[in-house]
C-alpha cells in the first residue's frame, strides 16, 4: 500500500505517542501520507518536523489499510538528513556500534568519565540529554570468548545486538546458556550493529553497510540449516522488516524468513516436542511492558505465553504505552521533553500495578521505565531462566 490508499481516518494519529505530548509534531497522517502528496522529486525538503517522529511504528500497527505512515516518514527523514547538515549528535548516535566498541574496551575509564558532572555539562552542550544515567559499558562483551557452544542437532545463530554485547552481556550469556540447555548448538559469529541507529539518524548508507556485513555472515549459516535468533525486538524488526524492505539487502527475504524472537523460538521448540521444559515456581509480581517494536513484529507476545507456564508468577501485561526513549531518540536534548512526557505515562501505568519488577524485551524500554518508575527492570529471559533454574 502507498500513501494514496490513506483514507484519512486518523486512527494513526490517535495511536501516536509523540502527537499526544508535542504540539510541534503534526502527527503521522500529516507527516506521512498527507505531506507525501506534495513532496516533489528534485525539490529540497523543508519539513524539518519529520525528525520529531520517534519511529515507534504504532501508527503502522493501527492503520487498517496497511499504509505504513512510519515508513513514509522514515523516507522523508532520510531525505531531509541527506539534504541538510547533520548534527554531531546524529552522527554520533548513527555510529553507536563504534562508540560501544570503544566504550567496552575502555569500560572502567569510560564509565567513570560519563558519570562526572563535567562530562554531563559537555554532553548537554553537545545536544545530548543526560536526564538519566547512560548504561554502563562492560569490558567482557559478548563478542569475546567461544563462538560455538552446545552439541544439539538443531542449530541456531544468536544475534545478540549492541545493548547485550556492550552493556548487558550477563543477560546475553543467560539467553545463550538457556538455548544450549534446550539441546541446541548455538553459534555467535562475528557480527555488527543491526543498522537501526544509523537508519534512525538518517544515514541509510551506513545502515546498509552494517546490514550487508551481517547478511553475508548470517546468510551462510542459514544456507547450512541454522535459524537466526534475536532477543532485542528493535533489532528483530530491523532484521525482518528493514533488511528486505527499505535497506534492500539481497538476502534480506531469506534472513527475514529464518529469524525468530528467542521466546517465540522456545515456544516453537515446545510445540514441536523438541523440548519439554519443567517450569518451576517463581513467586514474583511483575509488570510486563510490551515494546512498540514487538507489537510491530506481529508475532504476538511470546514472553507472555511462557510466563503463563510458570507457576506462582503474578504478571500484568501493559501494552497501551510507548516508553518514550525509542533508542537514541530520547537521548537527544531536543527530544528530551517529549521522551519524558511519554515515559511518565508509561511509568505511571507500571507503578499503578505495584510490581516488584518491570519486565520488557527491549533494553531501551527497561532503562527508561526503571529510571522513571524507580522499579527494577528485567529482561524476560531473567524470569524464564529463574524458572528453568539456569544460572
Amino acid at each position: 500500500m502507498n500513501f494514496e490508499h490513506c483514507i484519512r481516518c486518523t486512527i494513526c494519529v490517535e495511536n501516536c505517542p509523540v502527537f499526544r505530548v508535542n504540539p510541534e509534531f503534526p502527527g503521522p497522517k500529516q507527516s506521512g501520507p498527507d505531506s507525501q502528496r506534495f513532496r516533489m522529486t528534485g525539490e529540497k525538503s523543508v519539513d524539518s518536523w519529520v525528525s520529531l517522529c520517534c519511529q515507534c511504528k504504532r501508527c503502522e500497527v493501527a492503520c487498517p489499510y496497511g499504509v505504513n505512515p512510519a515508513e513514509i516518514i522514515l523516507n522523508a527523514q532520510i531525505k531531509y538528513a541527506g539534504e541538510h547538515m547533520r548534527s554531531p549528535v546524529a552522527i554520533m548516535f548513527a555510529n553507536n556500534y563504534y562508540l560501544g566498541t570503544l566504550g567496552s574496551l575502555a569500560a572502567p575509564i569510560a564509565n567513570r568519565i560519563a558519570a562526572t558532572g563535567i562530562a554531563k555539562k559537555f554532553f548537554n552542550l553537545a545536544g545530548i540529554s543526560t536526564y538519566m544515567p547512560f548504561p554502563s559499558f562492560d569490558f567482557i562483551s559478548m563478542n569475546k570468548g567461544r563462538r560455538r557452544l552446545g552439541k544439539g542437532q538443531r542449530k541456531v545463530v544468536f544475534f545478540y545486538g549492541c545493548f547485550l554485547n556492550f552493556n548487558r552481556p550477563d543477560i546475553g550469556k543467560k539467553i545463550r546458556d538457556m538455548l544450549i540447555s534446550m539441546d541446541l548448538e548455538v553459534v555467535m559469529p562475528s557480527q555488527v550493529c543491526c543498522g537501526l541507529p544509523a537508519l534512525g539518524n538518517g544515514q541509510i548508507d551506513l545502515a546498509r553497510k552494517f546490514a550487508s556485513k551481517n547478511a553475508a555472515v548470517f546468510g551462510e549459516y542459514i544456507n547450512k540449516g541454522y535459524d537466526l535468533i534475536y532477543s532485542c525486538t528493535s533489532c528483530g524488526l530491523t532484521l525482518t522488516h528493514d533488511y528486505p524492505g527499505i535497506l534492500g539487502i539481497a538476502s534480506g527475504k531469506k534472513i527475514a524468513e529464518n529469524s525468530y524472537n528467542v521466546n517465540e523460538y522456545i515456544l516453537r521448540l515446545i510445540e514441536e516436542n523438541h523440548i519439554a521444559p519443567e517450569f518451576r515456581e517463581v513467586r514474583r509480581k511483575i509488570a510486563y511492558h510490551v515494546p512498540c517494536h514487538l507489537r510491530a513484529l506481529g508475532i504476538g507476545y511470546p514472553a507472555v505465553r511462557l510466563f503463563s507456564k510458570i507457576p506462582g508468577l503474578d504478571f500484568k501485561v501493559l501494552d497501551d504505552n510507548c516508553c518514550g526513549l525509542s533508542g537514541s531518540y530520547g537521548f537527544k536534548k531536543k527530544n528530551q521533553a517529549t521522551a519524558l512526557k511519554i515515559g511518565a505515562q508509561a511509568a505511571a501505568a507500571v507503578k499503578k500495578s505495584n510490581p516488584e519488577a518491570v519486565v520488557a524485551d527491549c533494553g531501551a524500554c527497561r532503562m527508561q521505565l526503571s529510571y522513571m518508575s524507580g522499579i527494577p527492570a528485567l529482561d524476560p529471559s531473567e524470569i524464564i531462566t529463574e524458572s528453568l533454574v539456569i544460572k
Side-chain angles (χ1 to χ4, degrees):
M1 294 291 179
N2 61 35
F3 69 90
E4 293 171 321
H5 294 97
C6 173
I7 60 169
R8 301 179 179 177
C9 66
T10 70
I11 195 168
C12 59
V13 180
E14 290 179 27
N15 282 273
C16 176
V18 177
F19 180 77
R20 278 204 293 259
V21 302
N22 187 349
E24 293 182 14
F25 182 57
K29 182 178 78 68
Q30 187 168 332
S31 306
D34 283 3
S35 294
Q36 194 63 28
R37 293 181 169 90
F38 301 98
R39 291 183 179 120
M40 304 291 289
T41 304
E43 285 195 358
K44 191 173 182 179
S45 300
V46 294
D47 45 359
S48 61
W49 32 262
V50 293
S51 66
L52 298 175
C53 169
C54 70
Q55 287 294 323
C56 67
K57 315 284 189 188
R58 282 183 168 257
C59 54
E60 293 191 353
V61 175
C63 179
Y65 282 86
V67 172
N68 297 339
E71 188 167 313
I72 297 171
I73 297 170
L74 179 58
N75 277 301
Q77 289 174 331
I78 293 166
K79 183 173 185 292
Y80 187 90
E83 294 171 349
H84 297 78
M85 182 179 289
R86 294 189 177 99
S87 70
V89 176
I91 295 171
M92 188 187 85
F93 284 130
N95 289 276
N96 180 60
Y97 173 74
Y98 300 114
L99 284 176
T101 302
L102 290 173
S104 177
L105 285 172
I109 299 171
N111 293 335
R112 281 192 183 182
I113 291 175
T116 62
I118 294 174
K120 288 179 180 176
K121 285 182 182 176
F122 172 77
F123 290 147
N124 280 319
L125 287 172
I128 300 170
S129 174
T130 56
Y131 69 86
M132 70 173 172
F134 290 112
S136 297
F137 293 108
D138 197 309
F139 180 71
I140 310 296
S141 54
M142 287 292 293
N143 56 12
K144 294 172 182 168
R146 293 175 61 189
R147 298 195 181 279
R148 186 185 300 270
L149 298 109
K151 296 179 179 178
Q153 289 190 343
R154 291 181 73 147
K155 302 172 181 179
V156 298
V157 179
F158 181 26
F159 180 74
Y160 37 75
C162 293
F163 186 73
L164 295 189
N165 187 19
F166 300 123
N167 305 108
R168 292 301 305 270
D170 55 320
I171 295 176
K173 289 169 185 172
K174 276 193 177 184
I175 295 172
R176 176 201 66 192
D177 293 344
M178 177 171 63
L179 294 172
I180 293 169
S181 77
M182 294 176 174
D183 192 28
L184 298 173
E185 177 187 312
V186 181
V187 175
M188 296 179 292
S190 178
Q191 51 191 272
V192 294
C193 173
C194 66
L196 182 59
L199 196 59
N201 284 283
Q203 296 193 41
I204 192 168
D205 290 340
L206 180 60
R208 198 169 280 131
K209 180 181 170 185
F210 283 129
S212 297
K213 283 187 176 180
N214 285 329
V217 174
F218 299 151
E220 284 190 18
Y221 279 101
I222 290 171
N223 288 341
K224 295 175 185 174
Y226 286 72
D227 293 318
L228 181 58
I229 307 298
Y230 61 83
S231 171
C232 171
T233 46
S234 295
C235 294
L237 191 65
T238 306
L239 290 169
T240 57
H241 289 233
D242 295 330
Y243 276 28
I246 193 169
L247 294 176
I249 302 302
S251 57
K253 185 171 181 290
K254 179 171 64 180
I255 287 174
E257 290 174 347
N258 291 279
S259 297
Y260 302 90
N261 167 272
V262 61
N263 300 316
E264 175 192 19
Y265 198 74
I266 293 170
L267 288 167
R268 182 181 171 188
L269 294 176
I270 294 172
E271 288 162 3
E272 293 177 357
N273 296 317
H274 180 76
I275 56 171
E278 180 185 349
F279 290 96
R280 301 190 183 178
E281 185 178 77
V282 174
R283 285 284 171 193
R284 281 179 179 267
K285 183 180 181 183
I286 62 170
Y288 176 64
H289 169 84
V290 178
C292 298
H293 287 175
L294 175 60
R295 286 162 53 96
L297 278 164
I299 58 173
Y301 305 159
V304 171
R305 291 178 60 195
L306 289 173
F307 291 161
S308 67
K309 297 178 182 292
I310 300 176
L313 184 64
D314 181 359
F315 63 94
K316 182 175 178 58
V317 179
L318 304 174
D319 60 357
D320 287 337
N321 295 292
C322 170
C323 79
L325 189 57
S326 293
S328 63
Y329 178 89
F331 278 117
K332 294 174 185 167
K333 193 75 178 174
K334 69 170 188 172
N335 297 327
Q336 176 176 313
T338 300
L340 284 170
K341 288 177 183 175
I342 297 172
Q345 295 171 349
V350 170
K351 286 192 280 190
K352 189 177 178 182
S353 65
N354 193 30
E356 64 179 83
V358 56
V359 178
D361 306 71
C362 169
C365 295
R366 292 196 295 273
M367 278 194 290
Q368 174 88 329
L369 293 177
S370 180
Y371 173 77
M372 298 201 69
S373 69
I375 296 171
L378 300 172
D379 185 272
S381 64
E382 294 180 273
I383 299 292
I384 296 165
T385 53
E386 183 178 338
S387 175
L388 297 176
V389 197
I390 297 170
K391 297 180 179 178

